[in-house]
Amino acid sequence: MRGRSHGNYTNPCLTMHQPWASLLVYGIKRIEGRSWPSPVRGRLWIHAASKVPEETTIKAMEDFYREIYVVNGITDIKFPEHYPVSRLLGCVEVVGCVRCEELASWEAIPEGARLEGQTDFCWLCEQPQKLLVPFEMRGYQGVYNLEKKIFEAAVRGLTPVKGPMPVTFPLPNPCDPFSLKPGSISMQLLDKASQVEKSASLTTAIAGARAAATQFNKKGQNLPTNNAQNSNSNAARSDPVETKPLEEHKLQQDKSYEDFNDESSVPKETEQTNCIKYEESSSHSRTRLDMKQFPGAPAKIFAAAVRGLKPS
């Protein structure tokens, strides 16, 4: 393990859709693409989300990897027999993260691996291990920590996996395990001539893989939200379309509460309302209220007149 520190994570885990999750744990997928840079180095547990993959999606991704391995002369790839969902599958070692354009021009790694980067940030993964018996678990958005009891059970059930063509990603600074980061190689290796030439079948496979991945961007990840994780990452994974109305609703509730408790906003009771209230009290209270209602009447005369009234 080259990167032993996980930052703020103890046993970091990432939930991924199938078939990408199994392809990574089986060592076929060596690059995990994201729109945000990797916050971890070292072991990253891989969990499969609950969405059952469609056969067309599986075929598109298997075709994609067949084509990129052909670039390096590898034609025999053993794909997973099953793509289980809602399961912890295994782990990989994240040794660094670079931008897509850096990966595409990085001559130090095989041509096929360069083609795997189809997103802004490419997480570089080595040493895949799978669980002999994947077990059911709930996943969350973003990177989150495994529960201690899950980690203790999982770490005993790992077995190493040898992919079709493992890649060891060279560190720009061998003395610094964190030196492989966005921008670390772009200034040295931006030669467009080093980029892999794409055949017609490879171009078609790449287009199919992109289309398969796009379906989740349109439909959403459909993963439970880890509130603690979102708060630690500045709500990076929160959907602004959802949070804004909730904030506005809360502000409206607060405003309504303030209006309700603001005495100046409550209508003044009319004298008639006061009379009704005071009729339910003692005659002495009625006298005082009636005197307030008719301030021009002499107090003694009015009080005597009220005491002389009889019910009809």
Side-chain angles (χ1 to χ4, degrees):
M1 182 189 301
R2 284 195 277 173
R4 294 184 180 276
S5 175
H6 295 143
N8 294 327
Y9 303 95
T10 52
N11 299 300
C13 184
L14 179 68
T15 293
M16 300 171 57
H17 285 291
Q18 289 285 31
W20 294 270
S22 287
L23 292 172
L24 186 61
V25 169
Y26 274 69
I28 298 170
K29 177 179 172 66
R30 299 157 293 187
I31 307 293
E32 168 55 14
R34 294 275 150 170
S35 60
W36 38 284
S38 172
V40 300
R41 294 292 187 275
R43 177 182 284 163
L44 177 66
W45 293 91
I46 304 301
H47 171 260
S50 61
K51 181 177 174 60
V52 177
E54 298 177 0
E55 290 297 326
T56 53
T57 300
I58 294 174
K59 183 179 184 305
M61 295 313 303
E62 290 183 352
D63 288 346
F64 169 72
Y65 281 100
R66 285 191 185 95
E67 289 295 331
I68 66 173
Y69 275 100
V70 165
V71 172
N72 293 114
I74 296 176
T75 57
D76 184 18
I77 302 176
K78 186 178 180 180
F79 290 100
E81 296 180 2
H82 306 287
Y83 292 94
V85 297
S86 298
R87 296 290 190 277
L88 186 66
L89 303 180
C91 62
V92 294
E93 295 289 322
V94 178
V95 300
C97 176
V98 297
R99 290 188 175 274
C100 179
E101 57 270 19
E102 297 178 82
L103 182 70
S105 302
W106 197 2
E107 292 184 324
I109 63 174
E111 293 90 339
R114 298 186 221 166
L115 294 168
E116 289 190 54
Q118 301 293 326
T119 55
D120 293 341
F121 293 95
C122 302
W123 301 15
L124 312 177
C125 302
E126 299 179 2
Q127 304 175 42
Q129 299 182 75
K130 67 178 181 178
L131 286 171
L132 294 174
V133 180
F135 54 89
E136 188 170 2
M137 190 191 96
R138 179 185 180 185
Y140 299 91
Q141 291 184 345
V143 178
Y144 55 94
N145 284 322
L146 281 183
E147 295 180 17
K148 184 179 179 180
K149 62 181 181 180
I150 295 179
F151 166 75
E152 291 175 348
V155 74
R156 294 192 295 266
L158 290 172
T159 182
V161 176
K162 183 175 176 59
M165 188 177 185
V167 175
T168 299
F169 298 93
L171 296 174
N173 181 2
C175 298
D176 182 4
F178 301 96
S179 61
L180 199 48
K181 55 188 177 181
S184 61
I185 61 175
S186 60
M187 299 304 295
Q188 307 172 29
L189 303 171
L190 287 179
D191 183 9
K192 299 298 181 182
S194 66
Q195 294 188 1
V196 182
E197 294 184 5
K198 301 180 181 66
S199 64
S201 58
L202 177 57
T203 300
T204 300
I206 292 174
R210 287 178 175 173
T214 302
Q215 65 178 304
F216 296 106
N217 294 332
K218 291 181 179 179
K219 297 179 181 179
Q221 295 294 322
N222 295 326
L223 300 176
T225 301
N226 185 336
N227 293 330
Q229 169 62 23
N230 284 339
S231 62
N232 291 336
S233 60
N234 196 25
R237 302 290 295 174
S238 298
D239 184 356
V241 177
E242 294 181 357
T243 56
K244 185 175 180 181
L246 287 174
E247 291 171 356
E248 291 178 350
H249 179 63
K250 183 178 184 303
L251 289 174
Q252 182 61 40
Q253 285 182 319
D254 293 343
K255 182 65 168 60
S256 300
Y257 181 80
E258 292 171 359
D259 291 344
F260 181 80
N261 288 277
D262 184 2
E263 293 182 356
S264 63
S265 66
V266 179
K268 299 295 183 181
E269 291 183 319
T270 62
E271 296 298 334
Q272 182 178 3
T273 304
N274 284 336
C275 289
I276 295 174
K277 289 184 178 180
Y278 274 96
E279 283 177 358
E280 298 173 354
S281 64
S282 66
S283 61
H284 179 67
S285 298
R286 291 202 306 269
T287 301
R288 287 191 293 108
L289 178 61
D290 292 336
M291 288 172 63
K292 291 180 180 179
Q293 186 174 1
F294 302 100
K300 292 182 179 180
I301 297 175
F302 187 79
V306 169
R307 288 194 296 268
L309 293 174
K310 294 182 180 180
S312 57

